[in-house]
Structures are given as structure tokens and as C-alpha cells.
Amino acid sequence: MLRNVRKFARDNSVRWLLQNGAPFFSTKRASMALESPRGPKVQALYDLCRQTFTPSGTPPLSSHSVQKLSSLLDTVGPADVGLSEDALEDDHGHGFFGLNGLDRFFRWAQPIPYIDIHECESFTMCIFCFPSSAVIPLHDHPAMTVFSKVLYGSLHVKAYDWVEPARVLNKRGPVRLSKLAVDNVLTAPCPTSVLYPNTGGNLHCFTAITPCAVLDILSPPYSEDAGRRCTYYCNYPYFTFANKDEKSDEEENYAWLAETGTPYDLYMRPGKYNGPAIKI
């Protein structure tokens, strides 16, 4: 399992925070392995993904395939993948020692547990478990389709798509114009979100409003060898680089994005999948 987690970390240029194997879930809770009385939905999800996705990501998914997978994901809850809603302490983003100045570092340094369910050439199934206030910064999903289901808690999603034809300026380095696609808070239970290679908010940022968990299915997976490298971005308001005579009422719907390195304060760590076993 660790091999898959490390591969994911390498493909996404993420630094993992490993703390001598210390458990990241609360020691005050019992085991997270909760079996759904409705049966192994995760197996049905895996089977449908195998039928739906290809290693190349082509041909594009039909609307019927998207609807079928989304409908199944809509029925998946925390117990179906071995999670408990109280698995993470609600520290409100303040670390484990309160709000004094010395502890501000812990607010931003809390790791985001990453649970690998399955990874193959065609797709990745994984779970991100966010402490409150944790952030996965703005990043892209090149030539990929991504299904995201909030399993519990509340998550703010802000997402952009590139403006086409591409508009690139050389301001403090190259910046490219994008248009806001999503700016919503998703609170479980809520429908599955889908982003596509060129639409639906392919570049997105996640911010946990409360402790929350997100089940992601990515197809095809990140792969540097195949040209699907995860890139992080910083965003600038439209007026930062726009000409004065270009101002309009829709300025807030646009932003300039510039590539940046992996954020220094992004920490993830591997977790153990405790849900029903998948028959490959």
C-alpha cells in the first residue's frame, strides 16, 4: 500500500509528512473499520470504474457513463469506505494546543491524511481526510476527469477553467487568464462533483470548513511519464494585469494564474484503508 502512496506523492510532487508511523486518527476513538449493512458499495464502484475508464482517457466519457458513476457515488457514505465521521478531532484548525502564537505553526502544518483505495493504469480511487482549515492549494488535472464526493463535513471548492483561446501575459513571469467555474461550499450529503479535462473547474482548490473527507476518482491517474504532472498555481485578480480600458462588470469572474512550486506548507501522510476488501 505504501508503494502506491509514495507513487502518488511522486506524481503529484507532494512532500509527505511521516512521523515515525504515529497514527493520525484520534486515539480516543475505536477502530475506523465500519462495515456498511448495505453491502460493499466500494466493490460496485471499483467494478464500474473498470468498465468505464481507459488508460488513455479516450474516448471521452459519455453523459450516460458520467451519470451512472455519479449516481452510484451519490449513494456512498463514510461507512462504505471504512470511515467514521468522528475519526478526526475537531480542533477547528488550531492544532492540538490552542490559539497562542507559538502554536500557529501547527494550524497550518497539520497533515492531510491520504488513503489509497486502488490505483491502476486507468484510474485512482482515494480519500482525503481534512482537519478543519486544511487546504489543498490550487492545482490542475491535465487531460483528466475527476469525480469528487464529500463523505462528511463541509468543504469550500474554488475552481477555474482556462480561457480559450489562451491569453498569456509576461507579468512577473508568465500568467494565463482563467475563468471562475465553481465557488461553493459543499456540505455532506451532497451530489457528486465532476470536472473534465477542459471544463467544470479543472483547476481547483479545496479548503476544509469543518473536518471532512472527500472520495476522489481520477481518470487517467497522474503520471509524469504520460504528461499528466500535477502543477500548482497562484492566482491574481483580473485587474492586476488587465488594461485600464478593459474593466467590466465581470472582472470578479476572471483571474490570472501563474505556475508555482509545491507549496512548502502542504503536508500529506498515508493512511490505512479499512473499508471492505476489493476483489480485483
Side-chain angles (χ1 to χ4, degrees):
M1 180 267 187
L2 268 179
R3 184 185 310 167
N4 288 338
V5 170
R6 286 170 179 155
K7 179 178 183 298
F8 182 91
R10 182 181 67 249
D11 289 346
N12 289 275
S13 303
V14 173
R15 294 170 300 160
W16 295 94
L17 179 63
L18 299 175
Q19 299 176 346
N20 301 318
F24 54 78
F25 293 116
S26 171
T27 57
K28 297 180 182 179
R29 304 302 198 271
S31 168
M32 291 171 50
L34 302 178
E35 186 171 346
S36 169
R38 295 170 292 181
K41 286 184 182 176
V42 69
Q43 181 68 52
L45 194 57
Y46 166 81
D47 292 339
L48 184 55
C49 286
R50 284 206 58 181
Q51 297 169 20
T52 303
F53 299 124
T54 64
S56 64
T58 56
L61 295 183
S62 67
S63 57
H64 174 73
S65 295
V66 171
Q67 181 59 44
K68 190 174 180 181
L69 186 52
S70 296
S71 296
L72 178 55
L73 267 170
D74 285 345
T75 69
V76 176
D80 295 308
V81 289
L83 288 180
S84 165
E85 295 188 32
D86 354 306
L88 288 169
E89 292 290 351
D90 185 0
D91 59 342
H92 300 288
H94 303 313
F96 301 104
F97 306 103
L99 282 170
N100 67 64
L102 182 63
D103 299 321
R104 286 176 185 166
F105 168 78
F106 294 100
R107 173 175 181 175
W108 305 111
Q110 291 182 90
I112 299 172
Y114 164 82
I115 299 173
D116 177 36
I117 300 177
H118 178 78
E119 182 171 319
C120 61
E121 290 184 343
S122 298
F123 63 93
T124 295
M125 292 174 59
C126 60
I127 302 170
F128 294 93
C129 298
F130 294 79
S132 55
S133 300
V135 177
I136 295 182
L138 188 65
H139 62 283
D140 65 355
H141 305 82
M144 299 161 65
T145 300
V146 181
F147 294 75
S148 297
K149 172 65 191 306
V150 179
L151 298 171
Y152 63 80
S154 295
L155 182 76
H156 178 249
V157 180
K158 192 164 189 177
Y160 299 87
D161 289 318
W162 294 122
V163 169
E164 297 292 353
R167 183 177 174 188
V168 181
L169 301 178
N170 189 10
K171 303 286 185 178
R172 308 175 194 171
V175 294
R176 183 174 174 181
L177 189 62
S178 66
K179 185 171 184 179
L180 186 66
V182 179
D183 188 6
N184 290 327
V185 173
L186 304 179
T187 300
C190 58
T192 298
S193 300
V194 187
L195 63 84
Y196 302 92
N198 299 307
T199 60
N202 187 277
L203 306 98
H204 68 199
C205 171
F206 285 165
T207 303
I209 306 300
T210 68
C212 59
V214 180
L215 171 60
D216 266 3
I217 298 176
L218 305 87
S219 179
Y222 283 111
S223 170
E224 290 194 14
D225 292 341
R228 295 188 299 273
R229 179 177 66 89
C230 183
T231 302
Y232 292 91
Y233 297 85
C234 55
N235 62 322
Y236 300 93
Y238 178 75
F239 63 79
T240 307
F241 304 122
N243 295 327
K244 293 182 180 179
D245 57 357
E246 291 181 335
K247 292 192 178 237
S248 73
D249 294 336
E250 295 190 2
E251 282 183 13
E252 66 276 8
N253 293 326
Y254 293 88
W256 300 96
L257 305 187
E259 291 189 18
T260 187
T262 304
Y264 73 91
D265 55 353
L266 174 62
Y267 293 103
M268 296 187 187
R269 59 180 301 170
K272 182 180 179 182
Y273 172 63
N274 288 318
I278 295 175
K279 296 178 182 178
I280 307 299

